[in-house]
Structure formats: C-alpha cells, structure tokens
Amino acid sequence: MLSMIKIPRAPLTAVILFISAGLNSFSWAATPEEQEWEVLNLFYKPHELVVSATHYPKPLSRVAENISIVTAEEIKAMNAHSVAEVLSRVPGVFMGGYDRNFGSTANILIQGSGKYHTLVLLDGIPWNYLVEGNAATINIPVGIIERIEIIKGPASSSWGSSLGGVVNILTKTFSGDNDPSNHAYATYGENQTSDIRADFVNKLGKVDIFAYAGRMDSNGLLDKKSFENNSFYSKIRIPMSDVLTCGISAGYSEPDLFYGNFYDYDFSSSADLKSYFTTAYMDARLRDNLNVNLSAYSFQNRYAQKDKTLTGDYWGLSPDAVIQAFSLRDNKWGAKGKVVGEYGNHTALLGGDLAYGKLKDNTCFAPEFGGGYSIKTDVNTWAVYFNDTIAMNQWAITPGIRYDSNSTSKDFVSPSLGITFQPNHRVIFRAMVSRGFSSPPLVYSSSYVVDLIPNPDLKPETINSYQLGMEAGISLKSRLKISLFHHDVENMFFKEYVDSEEKYRYINAVSDTRQGFECELQASLSSHILVDFGGTYIHQSSETQEDRNLSSINFAIAFQHPEIINARFMGQYMQWGQDHGDPSNTGSYDNVICDVHISKPISVFRLAETELFITGHNIFNGALYDDVYNKNPERWIEGGLHITF
C-alpha cells in the first residue's frame, strides 16, 4: 500500500537517530494504560485527549499525527474574538493576510503550505470555498466552539484534499454528564468595538439543546476597516433509544466588512457574506463493538463585493464610481457514512463521502472596462476510506488508505502509516509517513476570471510527508513536545502566461520541499503560575523561488487564582522569510505583538458566576504584518463582563 512513497535518506536517518536518542533518555518500565495520562493531565482535561484523526475518538497516545488542541477554556483565557485570532497562536500555523483588526479575514497556512491546502471542517462540514479552495472562518463565531483540533501535515488518507493539514472545529453540546451552564458575554472597546453573545445549554426531557446568538460590531481599529456580524446557531441531540441517537444543527452568519481605502490605487473595497448551514446525523450502536454513523449537510454561501473609486483620477472615472461588483454563490451538499468496529486489539473504520458543489458568479465592471460576465460550474466528488488502529502493549500501528474521485480533476489514492510507542507513562514517540493531495480550485480548472484560461487537465498537487514526534513529561510539572517534519510537494500549480502575457493559465510544473521542526513547552512554576511556549522553524526550497526560512514564536504566562484574579500575558513573533532588502517586501517583522487579559470574579447575582475583565491588545504598539495593506492596529483596550448561570 505504501510502495508509491519514496522515503528520502536524510529524513530516514533523522528518524533513526531521533528514536535512538529518545529511547536512551527514558526508562523502559511498562505501566498500565490507565496511568498513561498522569503527566499530560497536568495540562489537558480528559475530554481533550479524545481526537478525531481517524474519524473516531481514540486516546492521544495512539495518535501518530502531529495534532494541537485548543479548547473553549483556552479561547476564553485569550479573550479571542475570531478563529483566526485563535489559530494565530498555534505553533506551525501561519495566518496569511491577517491584519489583527476586529473581524479581519485570513488564510490558514500550515507548515508553509498554501491557502487552499488546509481543509477546514465545522462539525464535519467542509468549510472551504469551491472557487479558490481557501476557507473564510470569519463566519464562525468563537462562542459556539467546544474545541479545535489542528492536524499539521497531510491528512488525505482520512479527509481527502488536505495537503497542508486539517482544522477540525467541534461545536458545543450537552452530554448530560455535567450540570447545565448558560453564558452571557459582553465587551466594549475603542472605536465602538463590541462583542455581545449568549448561549443556552440545557436538557429538556431527553433532548439535549444548545442555542447561541451573537453580534460583533466595530467602526474599525485601523483605516476605518469596519466590521459587523450577526450570527445564530442551534444544535439538538435526541436519544431515540438506548442504541440510537439522532441530531440536527443549523447556523446563520452575515459578516459585513469594509476592507479599507487603498489610496495607491484610488479605490475602496467592501463586502458582505451570508452563510447558512445545516447538518443532520444518526448514530447507531448495533453491538457493543460495532457502531454506524450516517450524516448529511448543506452549506450555502453568498459573497458580494463592491470596489469603488476614491477620487477617480487613477481610473479615469468620477469619484465614488463602481469599478467592479460581483456576487458569488458557493453552495455545497453532502452525505457521509462510516462503520466502526472493535475486535481484539483492532479498531477499524470503513467510511465513505459523497458531495456536490455548485458555483455561480455574476460580475459587473464599469462600462468603460467592458460590462461583465456570468459563470456557472459545478463539481461532484466521492470517496471511500479505511483505517485500522492496532494496539499492541506499548505500540499502536495505524494503516490507512483513501480513494478520492473528483469530476474536475484526477482521481487520487492516499495511503498512510502511523506508529506510536509509549515505553512508559511519561513519554510517547510518534512516526508518520503519508501521501496526500490538494485538488485544484475551480477557478484554475473552470475559470471565471476574464484573463484566466481554464485548464481542465490540471492534476492535483501531491505530497509525500514524513513526520516524527516525541511528547514527554520532563518533570512532574512540565511537558515537552517536539515534532520534526519533511514534506516533498510535486505537481504544484504554476502560473503560465500566454498570448503575449495578456492571459494566463495554471499548469502542473513545480516541486517544493518544506522541512523543519516545532517545539512546545508547558510548565507549572507554582500552584498559580503556568508558562506556555511554542516555536516553529521551516526551511522551504522551490524550483522557481529562492529558499526561505519561516519561523514563529508564541508564548504565554498565566497567573491563575480563580477566587482572586486571573491574568494572562501573551506574545507573538513571526518571520515570513521575505528578503528585508527587497523593496517589494512591504511587511514588518522586527516587533513582538503582546496582549494582556485580566479577569476578576465578583459577587453580583446569587445563582450566577460573574467575572469582570479587561484586555489590552498590542500593548507595546508592535508592528507585525506580511504586507503594508495588512497593517495591524496599535494598542487598543476593551473591557467587559462574563456571566455563567
């Protein structure tokens, strides 16, 4: 199954040396499985140790993929307002075009990958646009998130088109194991920036219910980049019997953005997005060791953008004239099914996906520029996949394979093999070799852009990936995680100019190598002080560009005394690898962005927990951005109230 993967000598040698060094550093004393989380539980709660790398929950000690988990509690501790803000603090994740404005958009780039290489899921719904393959997460309110699981590196043997990785967003629900808790949150900051939300989590008879409503609003923290969004979400879980459970969910979001004034090109840009999504599922436990899950989803997106002149001099038009306006409908429907069986030391899964996508674009230009056009296109995909986790004492071996069929691109087979080894309860070793892909965005194969010639013969970009990791409790109060990776990407999309460079198309013509490491350290300095550090280094070499080195550092120092005060100081540094002497490089990389969040419990309501908080963003006025048009705001302050009842 893995014969199609060629293993390079250098990474293989690194794997052998890495494992040898690690095994010489730790005791080989075997321990019972129930003790394996003794050290990790210092930083993770038990429910956070359940992940979905193989489409079913399994202990972290048996997961070979490089995974980071961000929980609702951690999002609260950051006082984050967007998914982009949360992901920007994850080692190995770079947010392209992220300007840190309230409600800003960004592309998710994992370990040097492109914007269409990362698959984003919300409760199993593929969130990526059909048109360009990227995912806009600004229409996902953080108030509905229970946790985010980030798989770094290709996950195609489980999820299909995901050359760079997967961001799996799991929403809140009510399991019945804890008392119901409802939340009300309100914050207000500079430039009339506000975030107001409330959620209801309860049990009505046998029915579990989660409901959410929120509104975000800002006049713009920089360059009048205003933003507002109303969002709603609900989820219902219905136990039909002891062995059968059904559920439905629905959500709506309507972000309205002003991208800003672009004075060099004499225009302003604004957009509004409307998203509506629904899911339904059925989960049946046929036997103690056999489970069947069926689900379906609908995801409807409408995106409208309008670009208008400022003075009109640059375009030869009058002031406030429309340069272009377009309306894009990006809609998807799908169904999924999987069967999970446990027998002996095996946990095997057989699954399938079926999806249909429809894209419609209407674009209008100013009469001086040619009028406009209308394009319609669609895509059909289906896939089958299989994986098996084989647990053998301290070892766990997970082979996997998936076949993907795409009506606009070539079919693809994605094999993988993961191995974990746990010599004792304080250390886990991981190794992963896999082959993955990313399908061409529809804009490349079924063009709707005036100057872009479609290429229906475009093949998927492919990747051979080799990863090695170690996670250890280096003392009773600290945890260290190290991950090494080497990715060879082939058949990359390359812009080829034709017709005297008046038009262009994309072809498969470039290869790329990305290799590096991630390091995470969490330590408890005392009963009230925690330190969190994450660092990433990536060396990227390409046939068409000069080599570049990407790096990032994230750190946090938290003081936790729930009865008195909680405080969290956070910092971030990022280097995108551009040549600082190149005049075309307009980014800023020589500063650290630091935030501080302070909260204090107060007694106001007898039956509710009330917390006052204040957050300072970019408190030292740092400048950290990848392009002059993505400048981040200077220091701004917000404060608010969080009630749990």
Side-chain angles (χ1 to χ4, degrees):
M1 180 171 63
L2 294 171
S3 60
M4 64 185 72
I5 301 179
K6 300 177 181 179
I7 302 179
R9 293 182 179 180
L12 182 60
T13 303
V15 167
I16 296 173
L17 293 175
F18 185 78
I19 293 178
S20 300
L23 295 181
N24 289 331
S25 303
F26 296 94
S27 166
W28 279 74
T31 60
E33 187 179 46
E34 60 267 19
Q35 296 179 351
E36 67 185 11
W37 308 118
E38 179 181 326
V39 175
L40 297 183
N41 275 339
L42 177 64
F43 302 101
Y44 291 123
K45 297 179 181 178
H47 71 275
E48 296 170 352
L49 301 178
V50 178
V51 296
S52 56
T54 48
H55 284 270
Y56 59 85
K58 67 178 183 179
L60 196 62
S61 62
R62 296 177 183 173
V63 176
E65 289 86 350
N66 176 13
I67 291 184
S68 292
I69 301 172
V70 184
T71 68
E73 285 298 315
E74 291 172 306
I75 294 173
K76 176 186 174 184
M78 300 175 194
N79 194 31
H81 297 286
S82 67
V83 173
E85 185 177 353
V86 174
L87 295 178
S88 71
R89 301 189 184 280
V90 176
V93 179
F94 294 75
M95 303 306 294
Y98 180 45
D99 60 13
R100 302 174 195 274
N101 266 284
F102 196 76
S104 62
T105 59
N107 291 312
I108 305 169
L109 318 175
I110 298 179
Q111 295 180 344
S113 62
K115 66 179 183 180
Y116 48 81
H117 290 156
T118 301
L119 174 64
V120 176
L121 300 159
L122 178 71
D123 282 344
I125 302 175
W127 212 253
N128 298 58
Y129 286 125
L130 296 171
V131 58
E132 291 187 340
N134 62 321
T137 58
I138 195 59
N139 49 0
I140 303 176
V142 294
I144 71 173
I145 297 174
E146 179 65 28
R147 72 171 184 256
I148 305 175
E149 300 173 355
I150 303 101
I151 303 176
K152 289 171 279 189
S156 297
S157 63
S158 286
W159 298 102
S161 180
S162 53
L163 184 150
V166 170
V167 175
N168 191 13
I169 301 173
L170 306 175
T171 58
K172 293 178 180 178
T173 188
F174 180 65
S175 65
D177 297 332
N178 302 305
D179 292 333
S181 61
N182 309 309
H183 301 270
Y185 171 97
T187 182
Y188 187 83
E190 297 180 38
N191 289 340
Q192 300 183 34
T193 297
S194 64
D195 187 354
I196 301 171
R197 54 182 111 126
D199 62 64
F200 169 87
V201 185
N202 216 319
K203 195 177 188 72
L204 299 179
K206 293 184 177 181
V207 179
D208 298 329
I209 298 176
F210 172 77
Y212 168 92
R215 175 174 173 80
M216 300 174 65
D217 198 357
S218 176
N219 284 347
L221 298 167
L222 182 68
D223 297 335
K224 298 182 179 180
K225 293 183 178 181
S226 61
F227 173 80
E228 65 177 282
N229 182 29
N230 296 309
S231 54
F232 308 92
Y233 179 78
S234 63
K235 175 188 286 187
I236 299 175
R237 176 180 178 269
I238 309 171
M240 308 299 293
S241 68
D242 292 340
V243 296
L244 179 64
T245 301
C246 296
I248 57 175
S249 66
Y252 176 77
S253 186
E254 51 176 19
D256 192 347
L257 308 95
F258 179 67
Y259 291 125
N261 295 317
F262 301 88
Y263 296 103
D264 290 346
Y265 299 98
D266 190 32
F267 79 97
S268 65
S269 182
S270 61
D272 65 85
L273 172 65
K274 288 181 171 59
S275 302
Y276 178 73
F277 53 96
T278 58
T279 66
Y281 77 90
M282 180 195 73
D283 192 85
R285 194 157 190 86
L286 304 183
R287 298 179 181 177
D288 290 341
N289 62 346
L290 186 64
N291 193 85
V292 176
N293 180 277
L294 301 175
S295 63
Y297 65 85
S298 171
F299 185 28
Q300 315 294 307
N301 270 309
R302 176 191 172 276
Y303 178 83
Q305 180 174 324
K306 184 177 292 185
D307 300 335
K308 302 170 70 174
T309 62
L310 296 175
T311 67
D313 296 341
Y314 182 90
W315 301 93
L317 300 173
S318 61
D320 205 36
V322 175
I323 303 170
Q324 71 166 353
F326 62 87
S327 176
L328 180 69
R329 295 184 181 273
D330 194 297
N331 302 327
K332 288 178 283 190
W333 300 265
K336 301 183 178 186
K338 61 185 178 183
V339 179
V340 182
E342 301 176 32
Y343 54 100
N345 60 344
H346 294 258
T347 303
L349 178 144
L350 177 64
D353 294 345
L354 181 67
Y356 172 73
K358 187 176 181 179
L359 182 67
K360 182 179 179 180
D361 171 57
N362 292 305
T363 297
C364 298
F365 298 112
E368 291 84 351
F369 302 141
Y373 58 87
S374 178
I375 296 291
K376 295 180 181 180
T377 187
D378 59 6
V379 58
N380 290 282
T381 62
W382 63 268
V384 292
Y385 55 94
F386 172 83
N387 58 67
D388 184 13
T389 299
I390 308 165
M392 300 179 295
N393 297 320
Q394 300 111 316
W395 296 85
I397 302 173
T398 304
I401 190 167
R402 177 173 169 128
Y403 176 85
D404 280 271
S405 177
N406 187 311
S407 62
T408 63
S409 183
K410 304 296 183 181
D411 298 352
F412 198 83
V413 177
S414 307
S416 67
L417 179 63
I419 300 174
T420 65
F421 175 60
Q422 187 179 17
N424 58 55
H425 69 284
R426 295 183 61 181
V427 61
I428 302 169
F429 293 98
R430 298 183 173 92
M432 186 79 183
V433 56
S434 59
R435 180 170 172 81
F437 76 101
S438 276
S439 298
L442 283 184
V443 69
Y444 294 177
S445 58
S446 304
S447 171
Y448 75 103
V449 178
V450 174
D451 297 328
L452 177 56
I453 302 173
N455 183 0
D457 297 323
L458 202 59
K459 300 176 182 178
E461 293 186 333
T462 64
I463 184 172
N464 290 333
S465 173
Y466 318 91
Q467 299 189 69
L468 188 68
M470 178 187 70
E471 192 164 358
I474 55 178
S475 72
L476 293 179
K477 294 186 177 182
S478 60
R479 165 186 169 268
L480 175 67
K481 179 181 177 182
I482 299 175
S483 302
L484 310 177
F485 57 88
H486 180 101
H487 305 314
D488 291 321
V489 186
E490 299 177 342
N491 291 330
M492 293 185 67
F493 307 137
F494 178 75
K495 183 186 289 187
E496 178 185 60
Y497 285 94
V498 296
D499 219 8
S500 301
E501 296 194 356
E502 292 183 1
K503 295 183 180 294
Y504 64 95
R505 66 177 179 179
Y506 285 94
I507 60 174
N508 300 106
V510 181
S511 62
D512 184 284
T513 298
R514 306 161 192 164
Q515 55 189 347
F517 66 87
E518 297 174 16
C519 178
E520 299 177 48
L521 176 65
Q522 294 174 310
S524 175
L525 303 184
S526 72
S527 59
H528 299 297
I529 300 176
L530 298 176
V531 175
D532 194 339
F533 169 87
T536 304
Y537 171 80
I538 303 169
H539 177 75
Q540 186 170 4
S541 58
S542 172
E543 294 179 341
T544 58
Q545 298 178 351
E546 294 185 0
D547 291 6
R548 64 171 184 159
N549 299 307
L550 295 83
S551 59
S552 68
I553 295 174
N554 292 277
F555 62 87
I557 302 172
F559 176 82
Q560 299 177 343
H561 200 308
E563 296 180 356
I564 301 176
I565 197 169
N566 293 315
R568 186 178 184 89
F569 178 79
M570 300 163 284
Q572 183 180 64
Y573 170 83
M574 189 168 293
Q575 172 58 257
W576 285 89
Q578 284 91 339
D579 182 3
H580 288 205
D582 185 351
S584 65
N585 172 28
T586 58
S588 176
Y589 314 97
D590 298 327
N591 289 283
V592 177
I593 299 290
C594 293
D595 303 334
V596 61
H597 178 65
I598 301 172
S599 62
K600 178 177 176 56
I602 59 174
S603 298
V604 178
F605 307 106
R606 185 172 62 88
L607 298 178
E609 299 176 4
T610 305
E611 189 177 79
L612 284 174
F613 65 83
I614 184 170
T615 304
H617 299 267
N618 193 14
I619 57 177
F620 300 126
N621 284 332
L624 188 63
Y625 50 87
D626 59 0
D627 187 89
V628 68
Y629 292 111
N630 298 323
K631 285 185 176 181
N632 58 270
E634 295 183 345
R635 177 175 52 249
W636 67 281
I637 309 295
E638 63 173 318
L641 187 71
H642 188 186
I643 304 173
T644 303
F645 56 97

